[in-house]
Amino acid sequence: MTTPITQTNFANLHLVHRGKVRDLYEVDDHLLMVASDRISAFDVVMDDPIPNKGAILTKLSLFWFDYLKDIVPNHLITANVEEYPVACAPYREQLAGRSLLVKKAKPLPVECIVRGYLSGSFWQAYKSDPTVCGFALPAGMRESDKFPEPLFTPSTKAALGLHDENISLVEMEKIVGKEQTARIKDICVRLYVKAADYARSRGIIIADTKFELGIYNGEIILIDEVLTPDSSRFWPEDQYQPGAGQPSFDKQFLRDYLSTLDWGKNPPPPPLPQEIIEKTASRYREALVKITGADI
């Protein structure tokens, strides 16, 4: 097990952005995306890292970029540090296995979420009103029930420390236009259906996931990470029982623990017990092995 990396500081590279998990550098005309071992929950970054998490996220993203490339192009140039620009050479050891050299796309101003099952914020809203964000959902649904068809449910992009807000398709059309909204929805639903069918064959239900899309040379491409435990809810198929929350391979395990605490879901975060860190790391690793057939 390598020493966890909570933050990178590459003095010779231009740091563009430090997100909840990734550090983004500008290198020549490209971007260098580095996945740290930071973990966030409820839009708050924890102080305690999850060992090997960055490497797991990177391996999963590489798998899905390849598997889904027939639906939409993606931003990947290479993940081989030997092929990175010479300015990256001093940092190869830290970059190996947890970084991607990618095209510099312009991210869409909305989060692109696809939901196959009633869970999370949609379940909370559904309990009060079966019409959620403009979607008239069937009456009598239980928590974790499967939707008749996958739902494309966009949200706003909140600044670090703030919470994303679900929006309707009509609201999204006001932001990116009607035609673009329809195109984005079609791409995201197709991505979800292909990925969910594959994952189910490997014993995992993808309850919902968040895709990041961007514009590159006038074309919509898939960017950031894709279908990882950070951007998705993964449930073990053999334990699926609708009517309650599900055990998971994703951050829900951490969220469930944090929900037992007297904590306002705002910074500063509470310290994480070693047991929670180890169990979370184990869940991430199990997801990687189940989906790709390979370990880190």
Side-chain angles (χ1 to χ4, degrees):
M1 184 179 291
T2 58
T3 303
I5 293 179
T6 55
Q7 184 171 297
T8 61
N9 292 286
F10 301 145
N12 296 338
L13 303 182
H14 176 221
L15 179 68
V16 178
H17 178 71
R18 206 183 293 283
K20 293 170 190 167
V21 173
R22 282 171 184 75
D23 295 342
L24 197 63
Y25 294 87
E26 195 171 42
V27 185
D28 297 338
D29 292 328
H30 310 308
L31 293 174
L32 181 67
M33 200 167 72
V34 188
S36 74
D37 296 320
R38 298 191 294 269
I39 191 167
S40 70
F42 305 110
D43 293 315
V44 177
V45 179
M46 301 292 110
D47 289 335
D48 302 285
I50 304 300
N52 291 311
K53 177 173 171 280
I56 290 170
L57 298 184
T58 301
K59 270 191 173 293
L60 278 168
S61 287
L62 286 169
F63 172 84
W64 289 117
F65 279 138
D66 183 64
Y67 188 74
L68 299 170
K69 64 187 177 185
D70 63 318
I71 295 176
V72 64
N74 60 68
H75 68 164
L76 179 66
I77 296 171
T78 183
N80 181 354
V81 295
E82 302 301 323
E83 298 173 359
Y84 287 4
V86 66
C88 302
Y91 316 112
R92 279 179 182 166
E93 191 174 331
Q94 284 189 69
L95 291 171
R98 66 167 67 243
S99 64
L100 305 174
L101 188 70
V102 300
K103 299 167 186 170
K104 193 188 294 184
K106 181 182 180 181
L108 292 178
V110 292
E111 304 279 15
C112 300
I113 300 164
V114 182
R115 302 173 190 271
Y117 295 74
L118 184 56
S119 185
S121 62
F122 255 56
W123 166 244
Q124 295 303 322
Y126 177 85
K127 288 188 289 184
S128 302
D129 185 345
T131 297
V132 183
C133 289
F135 293 96
L137 302 177
M141 290 189 74
R142 301 164 296 173
E143 183 178 8
S144 306
D145 268 343
K146 187 177 183 180
F147 292 124
E149 299 290 337
L151 299 180
F152 174 72
T153 66
S155 76
T156 60
K157 278 189 174 177
L160 189 62
L162 300 177
H163 302 291
D164 297 340
E165 299 287 342
N166 293 325
I167 58 175
S168 67
L169 289 179
V170 172
E171 290 170 302
M172 178 171 167
E173 287 172 359
K174 293 176 184 175
I175 298 171
V176 301
K178 196 165 188 175
E179 186 177 323
Q180 193 78 307
T181 295
R183 172 92 174 111
I184 292 163
K185 174 186 174 183
D186 175 67
I187 289 170
C188 290
V189 170
R190 287 165 60 205
L191 289 171
Y192 172 82
V193 168
K194 182 172 183 179
D197 285 349
Y198 171 82
R200 194 123 199 186
S201 76
R202 308 286 297 187
I204 288 179
I205 293 171
I206 302 176
D208 53 49
T209 193
K210 177 177 70 178
F211 295 112
E212 289 275 3
L213 299 179
I215 306 295
Y216 182 76
N217 288 344
E219 182 180 35
I220 295 175
I221 66 171
L222 188 59
I223 65 172
D224 199 49
E225 65 176 346
V226 59
L227 291 153
T228 72
D230 273 15
S231 64
S232 318
R233 282 189 179 87
F234 291 164
W235 296 340
E237 185 185 27
D238 59 359
Q239 298 176 53
Y240 173 59
Q241 290 186 316
Q246 305 298 305
S248 68
F249 292 106
D250 57 37
K251 289 200 295 186
Q252 196 61 40
F253 182 83
L254 173 61
R255 291 190 198 104
D256 289 346
Y257 165 74
L258 292 171
S259 294
T260 67
L261 306 179
D262 182 18
W263 173 56
K265 298 178 182 175
N266 291 298
L272 301 181
Q274 188 62 31
E275 179 189 12
I276 297 298
I277 292 171
E278 289 174 0
K279 284 184 175 180
T280 301
S282 175
R283 289 307 241 177
Y284 273 77
R285 198 164 184 167
E286 191 176 353
L288 173 69
V289 172
K290 275 186 172 287
I291 288 171
T292 70
D295 205 338
I296 51 173

